[in-house]
């Protein structure tokens, strides 16, 4: 402890000591009271400084106060404001009263949703760009309800795609999962559809179809056959499908589960199908639609997801932001597309994506709906400009 008498005239030394004394007590008080919010820290510093330090020192030692504020900026985990605990929400830190007001606002917004758009009910006819709200997308978005637009000309677009798909010349028309086991008894056909759906992930239809055909030729395209087969043999048969080694293990486990839990048949509910190894939402809806003829949702794969976003069918009205995952696309599409279109929309758009609206360099010049497609010729132009850049770089 340093002592000073009246003879000491060096005020600089006194200022330094005062700053050290004020910093120590303030630092202790900040940790003792658990203050973490920047605004609250600043208020506490000023209040404590005025109460415990000489006024002349406060004005001459602003740097010390600023240092304290900078020191406590990072401590924001458990903020308080004037003794009231704050909670972290999607809108930042809020007290209980503010949280209540925010929740009330959200509840009022949800109450505006028409019952016609609730899950499981039939959507209404196209009414232009009507506004509705969809809840719980299962995405990282913190907002519980998101406004979207029903496309004005979706019927016209769908009719145009049907005309382009009339020739049935896409791979999905002859080798899609819907064609698997078409001549087999109902129980075996359901399992064949499940096998085809499981193998189709990250794999072209031609490769998937070939693998299913080889399983059938080997006499193991059944629950009993897969369950009794060696996993290494299954792996060799289904090669070269994507992730063939992992999928062989999935097939073996699925067949054994079907034998043990479902009396030698595949599960009959969407929830039970999703519990099987290797089966995701797209596959589960496809199996329910084709295997059990029980339509509970739209099968959305990479083609349907891409084309719906290009057409602007699943964009949000406030930000015009596209969906990020096929599951988000499925939920938005189901909200406005009539249920009698849920099953045919998949092979229709998949074939369209395989022939005309391809992932890279889409053939917009051959498309009958390019005049009303918001993405028409944009990706084609970008591809040409990028290729021109590459050519120039090679020449130099």
């Amino acid at each position: 402890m340093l002592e000073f008498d009246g003879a000491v005239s060096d005020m600089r030394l006194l200022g330094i000591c005062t700053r050290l004394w004020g910093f120590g007590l303030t630092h202790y008080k900040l940790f003792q009271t658990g203050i973490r919010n920047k605004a609250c820290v600043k208020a506490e510093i000023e209040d404590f400084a005025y109460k415990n330090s000489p006024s002349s020192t406060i004005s001459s030692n602003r740097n010390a106060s600023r240092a304290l504020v900078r020191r406590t900026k990072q401590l924001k985990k458990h903020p308080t404001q004037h003794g009231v605990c704050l909670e972290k929400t999607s809108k930042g830190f809020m007290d209980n009263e503010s949280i209540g007001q925010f929740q009330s606002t959200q509840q009022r917004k949800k109450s505006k949703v028409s019952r016609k758009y609730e899950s499981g009910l039939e959507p209404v006819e196209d009414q232009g760009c009507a506004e509705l709200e969809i809840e719980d997308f299962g995405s990282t978005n913190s907002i519980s309800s998101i406004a979207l637009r029903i496309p004005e000309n979706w019927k016209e677009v769908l009719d145009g795609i049907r005309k382009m798909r009339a020739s049935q010349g896409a791979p999905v028309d002859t080798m899609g999962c819907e064609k698997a086991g078409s001549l087999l008894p109902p129980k075996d056909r359901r399992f064949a559809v499940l096998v085809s759906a499981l193998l189709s992930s990250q794999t072209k239809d031609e490769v998937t179809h070939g693998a299913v055909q080889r399983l059938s030729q080997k006499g193991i395209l059944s629950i009993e056959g897969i369950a009794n087969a060696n996993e290494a043999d299954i792996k060799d048969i289904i090669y070269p499908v994507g992730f063939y080694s992992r999928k062989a293990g999935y097939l073996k486990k699925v067949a054994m589960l079907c034998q043990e839990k479902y009396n030698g048949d595949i599960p009959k509910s969407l929830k039970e199908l999703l519990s099987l190894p290797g089966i995701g939402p797209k596959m589960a809806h496809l199996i329910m639609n084709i295997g059990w003829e029980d339509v509970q949702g739209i099968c959305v794969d990479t083609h349907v997801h891409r084309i719906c976003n290009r057409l602007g069918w699943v964009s949000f009205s406030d930000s015009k932001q596209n969906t990020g995952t096929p599951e988000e696309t499925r939920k938005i599409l189901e909200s406005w597309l009539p249920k009698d279109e849920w099953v045919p929309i998949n092979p229709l758009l998949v074939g369209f994506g395989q022939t005309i609206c391809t992932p890279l360099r889409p053939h917009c010049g051959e498309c009958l709906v390019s005049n009303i497609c918001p993405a028409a010729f944009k990706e084609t132009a970008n591809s040409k400009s990028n290729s021109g850049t590459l050519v120039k770089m090679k020449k130099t």
Side-chain angles (χ1 to χ4, degrees):
M1 177 70 69
L2 295 175
E3 296 182 0
F4 301 92
D5 53 20
V8 177
S9 58
D10 192 350
M11 293 305 295
R12 292 181 60 189
L13 181 60
L14 178 59
I16 292 172
C17 294
T18 306
R19 284 199 299 271
L20 291 174
W21 170 77
F23 179 85
L25 289 179
T26 306
H27 190 69
Y28 171 78
K29 183 175 178 62
L30 290 174
F31 275 90
Q32 187 180 38
T33 55
I35 297 170
R36 296 293 185 269
N37 186 270
K38 176 182 175 180
C40 303
V41 166
K42 187 174 181 180
E44 284 287 329
I45 291 172
E46 292 177 355
D47 181 66
F48 182 77
Y50 276 107
K51 289 181 180 179
N52 298 278
S53 298
S55 57
S56 59
T57 309
I58 295 298
S59 58
S60 62
N61 293 290
R62 292 177 183 175
N63 291 335
S65 297
R66 291 171 183 170
L68 287 176
V69 174
R70 288 194 299 270
R71 174 67 182 84
T72 52
K73 267 185 180 180
Q74 301 173 351
L75 310 175
K76 299 180 180 179
K77 289 184 179 179
H78 305 288
T80 61
Q81 184 172 7
H82 306 298
V84 179
C85 245
L86 302 183
E87 297 183 18
K88 189 174 183 179
T89 68
S90 61
K91 297 294 183 180
F93 291 106
M94 306 171 72
D95 57 20
N96 292 334
E97 183 179 356
S98 300
I99 290 173
Q101 294 174 357
F102 175 71
Q103 291 175 344
S104 299
T105 303
Q106 294 299 311
Q107 193 64 31
R108 286 196 300 272
K109 289 182 179 179
K110 290 180 182 180
S111 65
K112 296 179 182 179
V113 182
S114 171
R115 291 184 179 181
K116 294 178 183 179
Y117 299 110
E118 290 178 354
S119 177
L121 299 181
E122 287 285 337
V124 297
E125 293 298 322
D126 180 25
Q127 298 177 353
C129 285
E131 295 277 339
L132 65 150
E133 289 186 345
I134 299 300
E135 299 180 13
D136 299 329
F137 279 88
S139 66
T140 56
N141 201 316
S142 60
I143 304 175
S144 59
S145 58
I146 307 175
L148 55 97
R149 298 172 74 89
I150 299 178
E152 296 178 351
N153 49 9
W154 69 270
K155 290 183 181 179
E156 183 182 352
V157 171
L158 212 55
D159 289 340
I161 294 175
R162 285 196 180 100
K163 290 178 182 178
M164 290 182 279
R165 293 277 290 113
S167 62
Q168 298 283 307
V172 69
D173 297 323
T174 55
M175 294 176 281
C177 296
E178 298 88 348
K179 309 299 179 182
S182 56
L183 302 178
L184 297 175
K187 183 190 290 186
D188 291 335
R189 200 223 169 178
R190 284 193 288 270
F191 184 70
V193 171
L194 184 149
V195 171
S196 181
L198 193 152
L199 297 180
S200 67
S201 175
Q202 305 294 319
T203 307
K204 291 185 176 181
D205 285 341
E206 300 92 323
V207 179
T208 301
H209 179 73
V212 174
Q213 289 293 99
R214 289 192 295 274
L215 289 171
S216 179
Q217 292 167 3
K218 296 288 184 181
I220 60 173
L221 188 57
S222 63
I223 291 175
E224 184 179 358
I226 294 292
N228 295 332
N230 187 282
E231 187 175 325
D233 293 337
I234 299 173
K235 188 190 306 182
D236 293 337
I237 294 171
I238 66 174
Y239 177 85
V241 301
F243 305 100
Y244 63 93
S245 180
R246 187 181 302 174
K247 289 176 181 178
Y250 287 156
L251 283 178
K252 182 80 173 177
K253 292 176 183 177
V254 166
M256 295 178 68
L257 284 171
C258 289
Q259 275 189 331
E260 297 169 3
K261 295 181 63 176
Y262 304 106
N263 299 320
D265 205 342
I266 67 172
K268 200 172 183 178
S269 71
L270 189 67
K271 183 178 180 181
E272 289 173 324
L273 281 171
L274 288 170
S275 68
L276 297 178
I279 300 297
K282 179 203 79 171
M283 305 174 195
H285 283 292
L286 177 65
I287 296 165
M288 290 296 296
N289 296 347
I290 307 302
W292 292 109
E293 296 183 356
D294 182 6
V295 181
Q296 296 189 23
I298 301 173
C299 175
V300 177
D301 67 352
T302 180
H303 292 289
V304 179
H305 173 60
R306 178 184 72 255
I307 293 170
C308 285
N309 276 290
R310 282 178 177 175
L311 293 172
W313 282 4
V314 288
S315 59
F316 306 123
S317 61
D318 53 350
S319 62
K320 296 183 179 180
Q321 181 181 0
N322 292 335
T323 55
T325 63
E327 188 63 7
E328 286 183 351
T329 297
R330 179 185 69 82
K331 292 183 178 181
I332 296 181
L333 202 57
E334 288 174 1
S335 69
W336 61 264
L337 188 68
K339 198 168 183 177
D340 57 359
E341 298 283 1
W342 286 13
V343 175
I345 194 72
N346 177 266
L348 185 70
L349 294 186
V350 169
F352 181 56
Q354 291 175 338
T355 55
I356 295 179
C357 196
T358 52
L360 298 174
R361 300 181 182 86
H363 309 288
C364 299
E366 304 173 19
C367 182
L368 300 180
V369 296
S370 60
N371 59 322
I372 52 177
C373 175
F377 299 102
K378 291 183 179 178
E379 295 187 32
T380 307
N382 291 337
S383 300
K384 288 181 179 179
S385 63
N386 292 338
S387 61
T389 305
L390 291 174
V391 170
K392 289 180 181 178
M393 289 176 65
K394 288 181 180 179
K395 287 183 179 180
T396 54

